[in-house]
């Protein structure tokens, strides 16, 4: 009987917590501890997801089409046990999400290229450009906020461009 009471109290507490609005705690020092705390916003609602797109210019001075750097991958049962490639993609996508968070916190008119996350994204895009076959003269990237479709998860229903970088030379 006591076990049933505790289980009911537990679910009642969870139900009440769903409707309570708490204020968000922001601090630059807490940012360093973010790896220890899960981000429960993931479960809150379906919303815009940041995606990193890259465009490469070859030696013929022609820009290739925009391509998403980390497209959604198809799931497999094997990935449940061994998945280092996709785990690296998730870590890089986490960097993109932190960059978007940094962009949202910038003052109007501030330069995004001064952010550490901007430099990390530039390095990420450069590493991607170096892996492509053929020479790469320059590249640029774009951050898009995409609303996923529930019935077709690989095709966004609404896209908003958040940032387009200037042309970056491959050095």
């Amino acid at each position: 009987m006591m076990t049933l009471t505790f289980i009911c109290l537990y679910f009642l507490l969870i139900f009440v917590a769903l409707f309570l609005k708490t204020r968000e705690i922001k601090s630059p020092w807490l940012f360093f501890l973010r790896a220890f705390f899960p981000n429960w916003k993931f479960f809150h609602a379906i919303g815009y997801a940041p995606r990193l797109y890259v465009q490469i210019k070859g030696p013929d001075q022609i820009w290739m089409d925009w391509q998403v750097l980390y497209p959604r991958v198809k799931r497999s049962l094997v990935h449940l046990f061994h998945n280092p490639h996709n785990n690296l993609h998730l870590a890089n996508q986490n960097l993109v999400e932190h960059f978007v968070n940094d962009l949202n916190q910038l003052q109007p008119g501030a330069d995004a290229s001064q952010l550490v996350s901007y430099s990390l994204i530039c390095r990420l895009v450069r590493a991607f450009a170096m892996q492509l076959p053929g020479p790469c003269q320059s590249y640029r990237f774009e951050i898009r906020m995409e609303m996923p479709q529930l019935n077709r998860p690989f095709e966004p229903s609404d896209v908003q461009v958040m940032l387009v970088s200037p042309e970056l030379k491959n050095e």
Side-chain angles (χ1 to χ4, degrees):
M1 182 66 180
M2 190 158 186
T3 305
L4 182 61
T5 305
F6 281 125
I7 290 174
C8 290
L9 276 172
Y10 173 74
F11 283 110
L12 181 66
L13 182 66
I14 289 176
F15 184 74
V16 169
L18 285 173
F19 295 104
L20 286 178
K21 298 288 183 190
T22 59
R23 75 181 181 97
E24 187 175 344
I25 301 171
K26 291 185 179 182
S27 168
W29 294 104
L30 290 177
F31 184 75
F32 295 119
L33 299 174
R34 70 184 184 274
F36 297 109
F37 302 105
N39 184 357
W40 296 105
K41 287 183 185 178
F42 173 78
F43 300 104
H44 178 65
I46 295 176
Y48 286 92
R51 297 279 180 252
L52 178 63
Y53 283 80
V54 179
Q55 194 175 36
I56 309 292
K57 184 196 281 186
D60 54 359
Q61 302 297 320
I62 297 174
W63 287 100
M64 295 179 178
D65 292 335
W66 287 101
Q67 52 186 319
V68 66
L69 190 55
Y70 297 109
R72 292 177 152 273
V73 293
K74 298 203 185 256
R75 296 179 186 163
S76 169
L77 186 61
V78 175
H79 292 162
L80 187 61
F81 303 104
H82 184 69
N83 196 5
H85 186 68
N86 289 345
N87 286 342
L88 179 61
H89 286 320
L90 286 173
N92 290 334
Q93 181 63 30
N94 190 25
L95 171 63
V96 172
E97 291 173 7
H98 279 288
F99 178 54
V100 167
N101 187 35
D102 290 347
L103 285 175
N104 286 330
Q105 292 180 1
L106 271 180
Q107 299 296 325
D111 185 16
S113 65
Q114 301 303 313
L115 296 170
V116 173
S117 53
Y118 181 88
S119 299
L120 292 171
I121 293 288
C122 288
R123 288 181 182 212
L124 189 66
V125 171
R126 183 175 185 270
F128 172 76
M130 300 310 297
Q131 291 176 355
L132 293 176
C136 166
Q137 185 173 6
S138 59
Y139 54 89
R140 60 184 172 190
F141 65 89
E142 183 175 85
I143 301 289
R144 298 180 189 173
M145 300 300 288
E146 298 180 347
M147 178 64 80
Q149 292 185 34
L150 294 178
N151 55 351
R152 287 182 271 165
F154 295 100
E155 299 175 20
S157 63
D158 185 25
V159 177
Q160 299 174 359
V161 176
M162 189 170 191
L163 175 121
V164 179
S165 75
E167 182 176 343
L168 304 166
K169 298 290 184 191
N170 190 13
E171 301 168 324

